Amino acid sequence: MNSIYLDDENKQASEPIDDIYNEDANNANASSKDSFASNAAAKLAHDSELGKMYFVLFFLFIPQIVGSALSSFGSGGMVSTVGDFISIASSVIYILYLIKLGKYVTDYKKAGIFMALGIVGSLIDIIIAFVGPERDPEALYPLDFVSLPFSLIALYGSFLEFKSHAAITLPVNRDLSEKWNKCLKGYIICLAILLCTVVLIFIPILGLLLLIAAAIGVLIFSILKIIYLYKMSELFK
């Protein structure tokens, strides 16, 4: 459950407002939380710093997509290397902003930490591609599984990020919050399928179709994420 704290300018005691941002609890206890939720929404909606940070996330997520696309062109080549650099550089700054957003929703900070561990996995892949033994690109090696745990950790970080977006948006714009929750399910499922590449290659036709569908799905949900981040930057101006 997300823990969210809003400190007012008069330094009054901070209150966790978890239940407001838990969709099930919100539906069950709306009447008892309406006044507090309204005050929280007003404070969030007028936080210009929050809007600026979401605009930075919007701006940084675009090169992450471009970098990932370039990285898919082979392994260890110049184009792939440039893609890896762009993706990692933009991801590092993106993560720093997620951690900074932790003062609003604590799960943002957790998401940033888990995604940072995912970058470690990406660096391991790059090192293996450059200094690892020469091998058949179509064969499966134990080294292919080295970064898998880090990728799974990063996947959980993405889950926490989406949940945090939905949480902080809920008292201000319920419709956008619901869109984040719907996008979360599809995005995570598609990413999880892509992480199973080393297994799906053993299922010639079905595996290939699943990977193609998952790749298209990730692209679609990534575009939606860009749109929603921009809407959040406008929402919290």
Side-chain angles (χ1 to χ4, degrees), residues 13-82:
S14 299
E15 297 184 64
I17 49 179
D18 302 293
D19 289 344
I20 299 174
Y21 298 88
N22 182 292
E23 190 168 358
D24 295 330
N26 186 74
N27 292 332
N29 304 309
S31 59
S32 64
K33 295 291 186 179
D34 280 348
S35 177
F36 189 52
S38 178
N39 292 335
K43 293 170 77 69
L44 286 169
H46 290 86
D47 193 327
S48 59
E49 181 185 2
L50 192 57
K52 291 176 182 177
M53 285 194 283
Y54 284 126
F55 182 77
V56 173
L57 293 186
F58 155 77
F59 183 78
L60 288 171
F61 190 62
I62 297 175
Q64 286 185 52
I65 296 177
V66 174
S68 296
L70 293 175
S71 298
S72 65
F73 289 97
S75 178
M78 179 60 69
V79 175
S80 177
T81 302
V82 171

Side-chain angles (χ1 to χ4, degrees), residues 41-127:
K43 293 170 77 69
L44 286 169
H46 290 86
D47 193 327
S48 59
E49 181 185 2
L50 192 57
K52 291 176 182 177
M53 285 194 283
Y54 284 126
F55 182 77
V56 173
L57 293 186
F58 155 77
F59 183 78
L60 288 171
F61 190 62
I62 297 175
Q64 286 185 52
I65 296 177
V66 174
S68 296
L70 293 175
S71 298
S72 65
F73 289 97
S75 178
M78 179 60 69
V79 175
S80 177
T81 302
V82 171
D84 288 333
F85 176 79
I86 293 174
S87 182
I88 291 175
S90 55
S91 294
V92 168
I93 304 174
Y94 190 96
I95 286 168
L96 292 176
Y97 271 86
L98 281 181
I99 293 175
K100 189 176 181 181
L101 280 166
K103 72 178 182 179
Y104 296 96
V105 182
T106 55
D107 274 354
Y108 271 131
K109 184 176 181 179
K110 295 177 185 176
I113 293 172
F114 286 126
M115 291 167 72
L117 292 174
I119 291 181
V120 173
S122 297
L123 291 173
I124 291 175
D125 280 338
I126 293 174
I127 293 173

Side-chain angles (χ1 to χ4, degrees), residues 59-231:
F59 183 78
L60 288 171
F61 190 62
I62 297 175
Q64 286 185 52
I65 296 177
V66 174
S68 296
L70 293 175
S71 298
S72 65
F73 289 97
S75 178
M78 179 60 69
V79 175
S80 177
T81 302
V82 171
D84 288 333
F85 176 79
I86 293 174
S87 182
I88 291 175
S90 55
S91 294
V92 168
I93 304 174
Y94 190 96
I95 286 168
L96 292 176
Y97 271 86
L98 281 181
I99 293 175
K100 189 176 181 181
L101 280 166
K103 72 178 182 179
Y104 296 96
V105 182
T106 55
D107 274 354
Y108 271 131
K109 184 176 181 179
K110 295 177 185 176
I113 293 172
F114 286 126
M115 291 167 72
L117 292 174
I119 291 181
V120 173
S122 297
L123 291 173
I124 291 175
D125 280 338
I126 293 174
I127 293 173
I128 290 175
F130 275 95
V131 303
E134 191 171 331
R135 54 185 190 158
D136 182 356
E138 296 183 0
L140 192 61
Y141 290 81
L143 289 175
D144 293 323
F145 295 92
V146 172
S147 64
L148 183 58
F150 295 98
S151 298
L152 291 174
I153 291 172
L155 182 64
Y156 182 62
S158 295
F159 171 82
L160 291 177
E161 180 196 352
F162 274 71
K163 291 297 290 183
S164 298
H165 290 326
I168 200 169
T169 310
L170 182 58
V172 185
N173 188 322
R174 178 178 290 274
D175 180 60
L176 183 56
S177 177
E178 291 175 351
K179 287 180 179 179
W180 273 117
N181 279 319
K182 291 177 181 178
C183 189
L184 161 66
K185 297 172 184 177
Y187 188 72
I188 296 300
I189 289 173
C190 290
L191 282 178
I193 292 175
L194 289 180
L195 288 180
C196 295
T197 300
V198 293
V199 176
L200 292 176
I201 59 175
F202 292 108
I203 313 174
I205 299 178
L206 180 59
L208 178 61
L209 291 176
L210 280 173
L211 289 175
I212 292 175
I216 294 174
V218 168
L219 177 60
I220 292 174
F221 289 117
S222 294
I223 293 173
L224 288 175
K225 181 179 178 180
I226 291 174
I227 294 172
Y228 296 161
L229 283 173
Y230 181 77
K231 287 184 176 181

